[in-house]
Amino acid sequence: MIELNTEYLVKQIDFESYRAEVEKIHHWIDDKTGEGSDFLGWVNYPDTYDQKEFARIERAAQYIQLHYDVLVVCGIGGSYLGARAAIEALNGLHPDSKVEIIFMGHTTAPSYISQVLKYLKGKRFAINCISKSGTTTETAIAFRLLREMLIEQAGEEASKRAITVTTDKESGALVELAKKYGYERFVLPDDIGGRYSVFSAVGLLPMAAAGINIRDFMRGAKEALDEYDNPDIATNAAYQYAVIRHEMYTKEHKSVELFVSYEPKLVQLAEWWKQLFAESEGKGKSGLLPDAVTFTTDLHSLGQFIQDGSPCLFETVLMVKNPAVDVILPGDEDNLDGLNYLEGKTLSEVTEKAMQGTLMAHSKTGGVPNLVIYLKRLNARSLGYLMYFYMRACAMSAYLNGVNPFNQPGVEIYKKNMFHLLGKPGYEK
Ligand code: PA5
């Protein structure tokens, strides 16, 4: 499903020199003995997930599809990025799915929130509120506003059927709300952190409501689990990716990794990837800054810097080998635009040539290392595979850097400061 091309890395990597280190860390991940091991529930989840809850997710999604035009997914960070990434990657930017998915709870911007509320007026909408802690301010604010509007529009009883929550099994404000009002509840297991939660109800319910085949998605994840549950650096592509990142950071002194894709519908996947790596690795004043660009669009903006600016970055290109659709360029009698030399060619051929030209320009001329990750095709199954690949690579990469991949102390500090400044009881100091 995935193939790495290291030809454009400028210097080749001696994977063998990492054999012992990678094996040791692999066992930390597998035996749950590394730092942060309380949060390794995601590792085997595609194999061990609760089938009954999965069936409930499918039923809830069908119910949403039958009764509502819009699903508002209310969450932030790991409680929303995975679902959004998967839905956009698979359904595109102008989807024709039955249910429109809108995201709220990831911002406090009054302009955005009031626009969404206005848009929902008179529409049949459901809410899926997602928060592990149940205390995240952005999400709680959005949920309060949405609930109020829903109750006003559809009535108290109907609102109970329209609301689902995904949260901790036992504790937190969302559990209490769900119990009091009888909202259907889905669980984010204790041992899975937000950014590793896309294979739980956090990702699955919004995806299923958007019409995505979540069985295929989980099948892909399970295939990746089987593939990467392997300590051998010579054959484990996820660990090779981790080692390349580590070499870029420690030996080539790069401080930025750019996620490159040629697909606008992968912008949100890049956002998910950014969170995964930034929150897992950016600790102790160390780590690569994960950033993202979409080509060829950004070749006309950041391209100049990448080619010729300070040599602080390397690129990791995600390329889908076999696009599901293509467009053939027609000929034109006048040829005033001079494009007849492309007559009969497909846009995927044009994109492929743009990629090759860029790889050569950036790596050969500009000296910017480029890794290419080829994904055979993009569908629910391969996306599940790919997201698991990144998660496994991320855990290895953070451990190679000597940090705990599963906490996020920096995020907690801002949350506490915000509570204090807003005057939340219990946060006076
Ligand atoms: O990855 C993480 O753990 C974070 O990004 C959280 O998902 C995010 O802060 C939201 O937290 P919660 O789900 O508790 O509302």
Side-chain angles (χ1 to χ4, degrees), residues 75-76 80 103-113 137-139 141-142:
I76 193 168
Y80 113 103
F103 295 92
M104 198 159 132
H106 59 290
T107 175
T108 54
S111 56
Y112 181 80
I113 290 178
T137 316
E138 294 89 331
T139 307
I141 289 174

Side-chain angles (χ1 to χ4, degrees), residues 10 42 48 77 84 95 136 169 187 243 249 274 277 280 282 301 317 363 374 401:
V10 182
W42 59 272
T48 59
R84 186 166 185 182
T136 303
K169 195 170 180 194
V187 174
V243 164
Y249 183 56
K274 273 159 64 177
F277 280 91
S280 300
S301 61
V317 182
S363 71
Y374 280 107
N401 276 2

Side-chain angles (χ1 to χ4, degrees), residues 39 74-81 105 130-140 166-167 174 188 192-197 202 275-276 279-280 406-408 411-412 414-415:
F39 287 95
C74 198
I76 193 168
S79 288
Y80 113 103
L81 283 163
I130 309 173
S131 174
K132 186 171 184 178
S133 62
T135 56
T136 303
T137 316
E138 294 89 331
T139 307
T166 306
T167 188
L174 274 185
L188 173 51
I192 299 182
R195 60 192 174 276
Y196 293 84
S197 70
V202 171
Q275 189 216 5
L276 179 66
E279 273 193 2
S280 300
F406 308 116
N407 62 359
Q408 53 284 328
V411 182
E412 307 307 335
Y414 117 82
K415 283 188 183 178

